Amino acid sequence: MKNSNLIITGARIVTPLGRTARKGKDMNELFDEYGSIEITEGKITYVGHDRPHLPEGYQVIHADGKVVLPGFVDSHTHLVFGGFRPDEFIWRLNGDTYMSILQRGGGILSTVKATREASPSSLRNKTEWFIHTMSQMGVTTVEGKSGYGLDRDTELKQLEVMQSINFDPIRKVDIVPTFLGAHAVPTEYKGREDDYIDFLIREMLPLIKQRMLAENCDIFCERGVFTVEQSRRLLRAAQEMGFGVKIHADEIVSFGGSELAGELHALSADHLLHASDAGIRALADNDVVATLLPLTAFTLREPYARGREMIDSGCAVALATDLNPGSCCSGSIPLTFALACIYMHLTVAEAITAMTLNGAAAVNRADTIGSIEVGKQGDLVMLDADTPNVMPYYTGMNAVERTIKGGRVVSHRE
Ligand code: NIG
Ligand code: FE
């Protein structure tokens, strides 16, 4: 990344502090003071009171009391895919269900067909369009999953698109790649789910490791997709090879995915719309980030995850968009904030922690991003407002004025 020198003066600096996820009531504690932030060659070198003299060689932004937050970390997306599925959305409006569409060979499997057919350059162009939009909403790091290939070449193609964007020296976001080969059972393996898991363990994981194409491994642990036992087998093998692990857990029914995430000390368990009390306890006790995706509950007309109860039980909660072509074709950060505060009863401070430091922890990067502290990457968001409360209050509308990545302004609304 091309890094820069930047000083922001007169800012209202609002940030969680730390290099690990904040759990329970600590999520509500934010540093909130007026002052300056200095970024030198891409890293934060000073946070504190405004100083009388500014050093030479820095771009200077006078914030005039506007809020500066850490760059947002969208820690759960499926942003590389072929085609779209607007018809399915209409079917669901008319009463069809997400799982019945998948069981008929549509849903994820219809995006698999489109992604297999798509050229790498068309996938890259589309991904860059998403990134551009996310950057305008303050995202500086995004997790991206494969899982629309379900075969060797297409899974690699998706991961290579993410890698090629990460190689761009003037990129707007960093992508943290996750291997989600176990997103659905490919038609070729129908009825032979265990053989497919074997293929992922024996062929795909070693290849992806060797080519450094993904940092984490994820699975859709759900009734009618992969069982808890299959999930355990894949994720244990992934851990042995050095991958961090994540689980799509308890999204459609209560299925034991949260409990498994606790057992494996996973980085995160995601969705959790139907997580059991024991599952929530397992996440809190084992330092698994509970990643909540309220946009998906909203678009699927499902009840929201029990975010308030999770925090009150001592969990570290992260918020993410789940951007994907099926269950949730939205990457809206402002709407995510609004739904989290209105329906899951998070405070604004908790939602900020969830979208920054805890999102960073969910992708294993809390030591380098997710807060405004000396030594961390210079990834910031400046709001066009003097209070962070606009994040949920401007419901679905963008309060971000500038997004700063590694000390460079990458998005600026005049
Ligand atoms: O997180 N549930 C599984 N995966 C995605 C949806 C993917 C799709 O429908 O294309 C999710 O909701
Ligand atoms: Fe997902």
Coordinates of all heavy atoms in Angstrom, one line a residue, residues 76 78 85 88 92 98 107-109 111 145 148 180 183 220 222 248 251-252 271 293 296 300 322 324-328, ligand 1:
H76 N -17.3 -9.8 7.6 CA -18.1 -10.9 7.0 C -18.7 -10.5 5.7 O -19.8 -9.8 5.7 CB -19.1 -11.5 8.0 CG -19.9 -12.7 7.5 ND1 -20.2 -13.7 8.3 CD2 -20.4 -13.0 6.2 CE1 -20.8 -14.6 7.6 NE2 -21.0 -14.2 6.3
H78 N -19.3 -11.7 1.2 CA -19.0 -12.6 0.1 C -19.0 -11.7 -1.1 O -19.9 -11.7 -1.9 CB -20.2 -13.6 0.0 CG -20.6 -14.3 1.2 ND1 -20.4 -15.7 1.4 CD2 -21.1 -13.9 2.4 CE1 -20.9 -16.1 2.6 NE2 -21.3 -15.0 3.2
R85 N -29.1 -12.2 -8.0 CA -30.3 -13.1 -7.9 C -31.5 -12.3 -7.5 O -32.2 -12.6 -6.5 CB -30.0 -14.2 -6.9 CG -29.0 -15.2 -7.4 CD -28.2 -16.0 -6.4 NE -28.8 -16.4 -5.2 CZ -28.0 -16.6 -4.1 NH1 -26.7 -16.5 -4.1 NH2 -28.6 -17.0 -3.0
E88 N -34.9 -14.3 -7.1 CA -35.1 -15.0 -5.8 C -35.6 -14.0 -4.7 O -36.4 -14.5 -3.8 CB -33.7 -15.4 -5.3 CG -33.4 -16.8 -5.6 CD -32.1 -17.2 -5.1 OE1 -31.7 -16.7 -4.0 OE2 -31.4 -18.0 -5.8
R92 N -38.9 -14.7 -2.5 CA -39.0 -14.7 -1.0 C -40.0 -13.7 -0.5 O -40.7 -13.9 0.5 CB -37.6 -14.4 -0.4 CG -36.6 -15.5 -0.5 CD -35.5 -15.5 0.6 NE -34.9 -14.2 0.7 CZ -33.9 -13.7 0.0 NH1 -33.3 -14.5 -0.8 NH2 -33.4 -12.5 0.2
Y98 N -35.5 -19.2 2.0 CA -34.1 -19.2 1.6 C -33.6 -20.6 1.4 O -33.0 -21.0 0.3 CB -33.3 -18.5 2.6 CG -31.8 -18.5 2.3 CD1 -31.3 -17.6 1.4 CD2 -30.9 -19.4 2.9 CE1 -30.0 -17.6 1.0 CE2 -29.6 -19.4 2.5 CZ -29.1 -18.5 1.6 OH -27.8 -18.5 1.2
G107 N -30.4 -20.5 -5.3 CA -29.7 -19.9 -4.2 C -28.2 -19.9 -4.5 O -27.8 -19.5 -5.6
I108 N -27.4 -20.3 -3.5 CA -26.0 -20.3 -3.6 C -25.6 -21.0 -4.9 O -24.7 -20.6 -5.6 CB -25.3 -21.0 -2.4 CG1 -25.6 -20.1 -1.1 CG2 -23.8 -21.2 -2.6 CD1 -25.2 -20.8 0.2
L109 N -26.3 -22.2 -5.2 CA -25.9 -23.0 -6.4 C -26.1 -22.2 -7.7 O -25.3 -22.4 -8.6 CB -26.6 -24.3 -6.4 CG -26.2 -25.2 -5.2 CD1 -27.1 -26.5 -5.2 CD2 -24.7 -25.6 -5.3
T111 N -25.5 -19.0 -8.0 CA -24.4 -18.1 -8.1 C -23.1 -18.9 -8.4 O -22.2 -18.4 -9.0 CB -24.2 -17.3 -6.7 OG1 -25.4 -16.5 -6.5 CG2 -23.0 -16.4 -6.8
K145 N -15.0 -13.8 1.3 CA -15.0 -15.3 1.3 C -15.1 -15.8 -0.1 O -15.7 -15.2 -1.0 CB -16.3 -15.8 2.0 CG -16.3 -15.3 3.5 CD -17.6 -15.8 4.1 CE -17.9 -15.1 5.5 NZ -16.9 -15.4 6.5
Y148 N -18.2 -19.6 -4.0 CA -19.1 -19.7 -5.1 C -18.5 -20.4 -6.3 O -18.8 -20.2 -7.4 CB -19.5 -18.2 -5.5 CG -20.4 -17.6 -4.5 CD1 -20.1 -16.3 -4.0 CD2 -21.6 -18.1 -4.2 CE1 -20.9 -15.7 -3.1 CE2 -22.4 -17.5 -3.2 CZ -22.1 -16.3 -2.7 OH -22.9 -15.7 -1.8
L180 N -14.1 -20.5 1.8 CA -15.4 -21.0 2.2 C -15.8 -22.1 1.2 O -16.9 -22.1 0.6 CB -16.4 -19.9 2.3 CG -17.9 -20.2 2.6 CD1 -18.0 -21.0 4.0 CD2 -18.7 -18.9 2.7
H183 N -19.4 -24.0 1.4 CA -20.5 -23.1 1.5 C -21.8 -23.8 1.2 O -22.9 -23.4 1.6 CB -20.2 -21.9 0.5 CG -21.1 -20.7 0.7 ND1 -21.1 -19.7 -0.3 CD2 -21.9 -20.3 1.6 CE1 -21.9 -18.8 0.1 NE2 -22.5 -19.1 1.3
F220 N -20.5 -23.4 6.2 CA -21.9 -23.2 6.4 C -22.4 -24.4 7.2 O -22.8 -25.4 6.6 CB -22.7 -23.0 5.1 CG -24.1 -22.5 5.2 CD1 -24.6 -22.0 6.3 CD2 -24.9 -22.6 4.0 CE1 -25.9 -21.6 6.4 CE2 -26.2 -22.1 4.1 CZ -26.7 -21.6 5.2
E222 N -25.2 -26.0 8.9 CA -26.6 -25.7 9.0 C -27.3 -27.0 8.6 O -26.8 -27.8 7.8 CB -26.9 -24.6 7.9 CG -28.3 -24.1 8.0 CD -28.6 -23.3 9.2 OE1 -27.8 -22.4 9.6 OE2 -29.7 -23.5 9.8
H248 N -20.3 -20.2 9.9 CA -21.7 -19.7 9.7 C -22.6 -20.5 10.6 O -22.8 -21.7 10.3 CB -22.2 -19.9 8.2 CG -21.7 -18.8 7.3 ND1 -20.4 -18.7 6.9 CD2 -22.4 -17.9 6.6 CE1 -20.4 -17.7 6.0 NE2 -21.5 -17.2 5.9
E251 N -27.8 -20.0 11.7 CA -28.4 -18.9 10.9 C -29.9 -19.2 10.7 O -30.7 -18.4 11.0 CB -27.7 -18.7 9.6 CG -28.3 -17.7 8.7 CD -27.7 -17.5 7.3 OE1 -26.7 -18.2 7.1 OE2 -28.2 -16.7 6.5
I252 N -30.2 -20.4 10.3 CA -31.6 -20.7 9.9 C -32.3 -21.5 11.0 O -33.4 -21.2 11.3 CB -31.6 -21.6 8.6 CG1 -30.7 -20.9 7.5 CG2 -33.1 -21.7 8.1 CD1 -31.2 -19.6 6.9
H271 N -23.7 -14.9 12.2 CA -25.1 -15.0 12.1 C -25.8 -15.1 13.5 O -26.3 -14.1 14.0 CB -25.6 -16.1 11.1 CG -25.4 -15.8 9.7 ND1 -26.1 -14.9 9.0 CD2 -24.5 -16.3 8.8 CE1 -25.7 -14.8 7.8 NE2 -24.7 -15.6 7.6
L293 N -25.0 -10.0 11.9 CA -25.2 -9.5 10.6 C -26.7 -9.0 10.4 O -27.5 -9.7 9.8 CB -24.9 -10.6 9.6 CG -23.6 -11.3 9.8 CD1 -23.5 -12.7 9.2 CD2 -22.4 -10.5 9.4
T296 N -28.9 -9.1 7.2 CA -29.4 -10.4 6.7 C -30.7 -10.8 7.4 O -31.7 -11.2 6.7 CB -28.4 -11.5 6.9 OG1 -27.1 -11.1 6.4 CG2 -28.7 -12.8 6.2
L300 N -34.1 -11.2 5.2 CA -34.8 -12.5 5.2 C -36.0 -12.5 6.1 O -36.7 -13.5 6.2 CB -33.8 -13.6 5.8 CG -32.6 -14.0 5.0 CD1 -31.8 -15.1 5.7 CD2 -33.0 -14.5 3.6
D322 N -22.4 -8.9 5.7 CA -22.7 -10.1 5.0 C -23.0 -9.9 3.5 O -23.6 -10.8 2.8 CB -23.9 -10.8 5.6 CG -24.1 -12.3 5.2 OD1 -23.1 -12.9 4.8 OD2 -25.2 -12.8 5.3
N324 N -23.7 -10.2 0.0 CA -23.7 -11.4 -0.9 C -24.9 -11.3 -1.9 O -25.8 -10.4 -1.7 CB -23.8 -12.7 -0.1 CG -25.1 -12.9 0.5 OD1 -26.1 -13.3 -0.1 ND2 -25.2 -12.7 1.9
P325 N -24.9 -12.1 -2.9 CA -26.0 -11.9 -3.9 C -27.3 -12.5 -3.5 O -28.3 -12.3 -4.3 CB -25.4 -12.6 -5.2 CG -24.5 -13.7 -4.6 CD -23.9 -13.0 -3.4
G326 N -27.4 -13.2 -2.4 CA -28.6 -14.0 -2.1 C -29.3 -13.4 -0.9 O -30.2 -12.6 -0.9
S327 N -28.8 -13.9 0.3 CA -29.6 -13.6 1.5 C -29.5 -12.1 1.9 O -30.4 -11.6 2.6 CB -29.0 -14.4 2.7 OG -27.7 -14.0 3.0
C328 N -28.5 -11.4 1.4 CA -28.4 -10.0 1.8 C -27.5 -9.2 0.8 O -26.3 -9.2 0.9 CB -27.7 -9.9 3.2 SG -27.4 -8.3 3.7
Ligands
NIG1 O1 -24.0 -15.6 5.0 N1 -25.7 -18.7 4.5 C1 -24.8 -18.8 3.8 N2 -24.2 -17.9 3.1 C2 -24.6 -16.6 2.9 C3 -25.5 -16.4 1.8 C4 -24.9 -16.7 0.5 C5 -25.9 -16.6 -0.7 O2 -27.1 -16.7 -0.5 O3 -25.4 -16.5 -1.8 C6 -24.9 -15.9 4.2 O4 -26.1 -15.6 4.4

